[in-house]
Amino acid sequence: MPASVVSDAVTTEEFAELRGAALECAELARSLADTTEQNRALPPELVEKLAKPGLLRSGVPTRLGGPEAPPAVGLETAEMIARGDGSAGWCTSIAITSSLLSGYISQAGAEEVFGDPMTVAAGVWAPRGKGRRESGGVVLTGRWGFCSGIPHADWLFAGFVLDDELKVAAIPKADLEVLDTWHTGGLRGTGSHDCVAKDVYVPEHRIFAVVGGPPPGATALHRFPIFGYFALSIAAAALGNARGAIDDLVELAAGRKTLGSSRTLAERSQTQSVVAESEAALRAARVLMFQSIDDAWQAAQGLEPVPEKLRMGIRLAATHTVRTSAKVAEAMYELGGGAAIYESSPLQRRFRDAHTATAHFQVNPASFELPGKLLLGLPARTEQL
């Protein structure tokens, strides 16, 4: 896998171990991909292997026993795992992003949610719930869709409205009703079901805000733009899935011959051209993505907010990477021909997963509009950039 753009300050043995664990998990995820797809959830043995080295909580600060991995490291591990299986990489990305909220919630809340090193959190920050104040906390009612990873998660970070303000609550999964709604074309293994809360009491120490900038006393990881990280997490999974699609096509092309031809698929000039062009596009998108990460990471080392220009660069890179990755996965699927149309084909799964990722609101075509406004010097709301 090509080296990412990561500053020397993060090339420690600790993070080398995280990357090594991610490579091992990628192999397991690849071997279990059919089971993941059929069960519409990650197998327990894969969740355990991901959780033990901290791959699902790399946003948790060291003061709470977490890895506190820089964005380039956490996102690269998700990319590696997605190379093995798109759903596994997606769930890793979502869990990492949710673990970042350990830096926003109160100390008591963070200890309660992330005190167990095997804890996994999911999150939907969109304000789909309503809360009313009640003696030391909030009573919350709502329904949240697209709760990726909820089958194996212990907690859900759920967005809601309280007194006309946007808040997030940490809710134990045991307090929620999980509805079996995730019947989709792609990313089936993410188990992104709906969750419902009905008059659930949430104490004050598990309520916080993510809008308005980093929390007081934040480290560099939690000064890094959190909404940008969210968009990048989708891009990391898409990038790894596209890389996996090239892997799958190369494996197929070595031995497959089309009807009436003595040449293998790999020996055909069209295959060679399309694979080379796709490789170039994917490498270029990856460089753009990790350069935008490194630029913002360097800025996050200071005490000032990361500049708007760099936050825009993150969002632009994330959307471009997801959409380029989908084109690559589609190109590999088309090269696979008749062999790729069956549900048993990994190329078919890569194609479906890629085009499900492009529907995410953080990276859909409309997400180009905000960077476009800024590039054109037009007024724009950037509080969630």
Side-chain angles (χ1 to χ4, degrees), residues 29-256:
R30 183 180 177 89
S31 70
L32 293 172
D34 288 340
T35 300
T36 298
E37 175 109 340
Q38 291 163 11
N39 293 346
R40 294 181 297 124
L42 301 190
E45 60 265 43
L46 178 56
V47 175
E48 183 178 9
K49 191 170 183 66
L50 289 165
K52 276 188 175 180
L55 289 166
L56 301 179
R57 52 187 274 124
S58 62
V60 176
T62 54
R63 62 181 169 80
L64 293 170
E68 199 169 337
V73 174
L75 292 164
E76 187 179 36
T77 63
E79 176 197 4
M80 292 176 179
I81 294 160
R83 185 173 184 174
D85 174 56
S87 287
W90 183 280
C91 286
T92 302
S93 278
I94 295 300
I96 291 172
T97 308
S98 297
S99 76
L100 287 171
L101 298 183
S102 57
Y104 286 74
I105 195 172
S106 69
Q107 178 73 14
E111 290 174 353
E112 183 177 357
V113 175
F114 292 104
D116 183 343
M118 294 296 285
T119 291
V120 180
V124 178
W125 309 344
R128 303 300 185 191
K130 292 186 177 181
R132 69 175 190 275
R133 296 192 182 276
E134 185 172 307
S135 60
V138 168
V139 174
L140 182 57
T141 296
R143 177 169 174 167
W144 297 267
F146 306 104
C147 299
S148 297
I150 197 64
H152 60 260
D154 305 289
W155 292 82
L156 178 71
F157 285 110
F160 69 103
V161 177
L162 177 66
D163 300 333
D164 296 324
E165 293 183 354
L166 302 183
K167 298 287 187 178
V168 176
I171 309 173
K173 186 171 72 174
D175 290 351
L176 299 165
E177 180 184 5
V178 179
L179 306 180
D180 186 1
T181 55
W182 193 245
H183 299 273
T184 59
L187 294 172
R188 294 175 182 173
T190 63
S192 304
H193 304 293
D194 287 15
C195 288
V196 176
K198 297 179 180 177
D199 294 326
V200 172
Y201 177 77
V202 183
E204 190 68 35
H205 69 271
R206 287 201 259 114
I207 297 169
F208 59 100
V210 293
V211 177
T219 61
L221 177 59
H222 298 103
R223 287 195 297 271
F224 190 90
I226 191 167
F227 291 102
Y229 199 120
F230 186 13
L232 289 165
S233 73
I234 306 305
L239 193 64
N241 181 67
R243 172 57 59 196
I246 294 178
D247 292 341
D248 294 335
L249 187 280
V250 169
E251 183 177 338
L252 175 68
R256 177 172 171 76

